[in-house]
Amino acid sequence: MSEQSSGRAANSGVGTDDAHVADGGSDADEGNDVDDADIVPAVRDAFVDAAPRTVAEVAVAAAAPRDAVADALETLVAEGTLRRREVTTTDAEGTERRAVVWHLPAATLRERSAEGAVEAGDAVGLAIARMAFPGASRMMRDWRRDAVRAVVEHLREDGPATAEGIVDAVYGPHSAGYDDPDAWWDCVRPRLRSVPGVVHDDGEWRFES
């Protein structure tokens, strides 16, 4: 059961770095394991919160080639699932850099918040409430939202755990419609990374209050 690391931003335009130039094939594309038919759903599922993401970041989260991810992103923009915009940042040397990012529409985030309503001031609960989850029905999405909550609660109460330890402790009572624990972890893992206070380090997950 593998742990995926966060991707590096892919910038384009003024003052781009060598690591941020092309969205086409590269060594980073080797080892991707998503079938072509699954790329659009995998790309959609990479957007678990309000954070904008670059092609490179989505490619890592979706475990798919960047050129295929770029096509999937445009498909999702065309159908209204995502929004696309250009941003400009300034690095430490004062060089302006432009990047194209994709993000969930505000209406989608409001809908997610309504589905997983939480008390004001609960940063963890709010982050989970705003996450996008796969599922054809609200009930299925809520099951998967509850699975992430259960993992966070496990880390809070029982301390650090490996991926295997989390699956052993939480998957059974919170399988969330998944028959396979690996598929369940593929859903939980990227969302767990977006929960405030959750840290992944040296093969272990822990919650820091």
Side-chain angles (χ1 to χ4, degrees):
M1 188 173 302
S2 63
E3 304 287 357
Q4 294 179 339
S5 61
S6 299
R8 293 179 299 174
N11 295 325
S12 60
V14 179
T16 52
D17 296 330
D18 290 342
H20 301 312
V21 175
D23 290 337
S26 69
D27 291 343
D29 293 341
E30 293 181 3
N32 295 306
D33 53 11
V34 176
D35 294 335
D36 290 347
D38 297 328
I39 286 178
V40 171
V43 168
R44 181 178 58 241
D45 290 348
F47 290 84
V48 299
D49 53 28
R53 289 167 171 79
T54 63
V55 170
E57 290 169 335
V58 177
V60 171
R66 283 200 232 177
D67 55 352
V69 166
D71 291 341
L73 286 167
E74 294 309 319
T75 296
L76 292 168
V77 169
E79 69 183 30
T81 301
L82 296 177
R83 298 285 186 270
R84 178 186 186 276
R85 62 189 173 97
E86 289 190 9
V87 297
T88 302
T89 61
T90 303
D91 64 18
E93 287 76 33
T95 303
E96 285 193 351
R97 301 180 183 278
R98 291 195 299 273
V100 177
V101 295
W102 287 260
H103 59 92
L104 291 169
T108 300
L109 295 171
R110 287 194 296 269
E111 178 185 334
R112 303 296 179 189
S113 295
E115 286 189 3
V118 295
E119 295 181 6
D122 181 1
V124 170
L126 186 59
I128 296 173
R130 287 178 170 171
M131 290 178 182
F133 284 84
S137 67
R138 177 170 176 170
M139 181 178 70
M140 184 66 73
R141 295 193 296 270
D142 283 345
W143 285 352
R144 291 164 182 178
R145 197 183 309 278
D146 287 343
V148 175
R149 288 194 185 101
V151 171
V152 174
E153 193 63 25
H154 173 70
L155 296 176
R156 275 175 160 168
E157 293 185 355
D158 298 317
T162 63
E164 288 77 8
I166 291 171
V167 172
D168 288 345
V170 184
Y171 169 69
H174 296 278
S175 60
Y178 286 104
D179 295 329
D180 176 44
D182 286 340
W184 178 87
W185 182 239
D186 285 343
C187 173
V188 170
R189 181 192 59 240
R191 292 164 176 85
L192 198 57
R193 291 181 182 277
S194 298
V195 176
V198 173
V199 177
H200 179 234
D201 187 36
D202 290 334
E204 282 193 332
W205 296 81
R206 65 182 184 274
F207 183 83
E208 297 181 348
S209 56

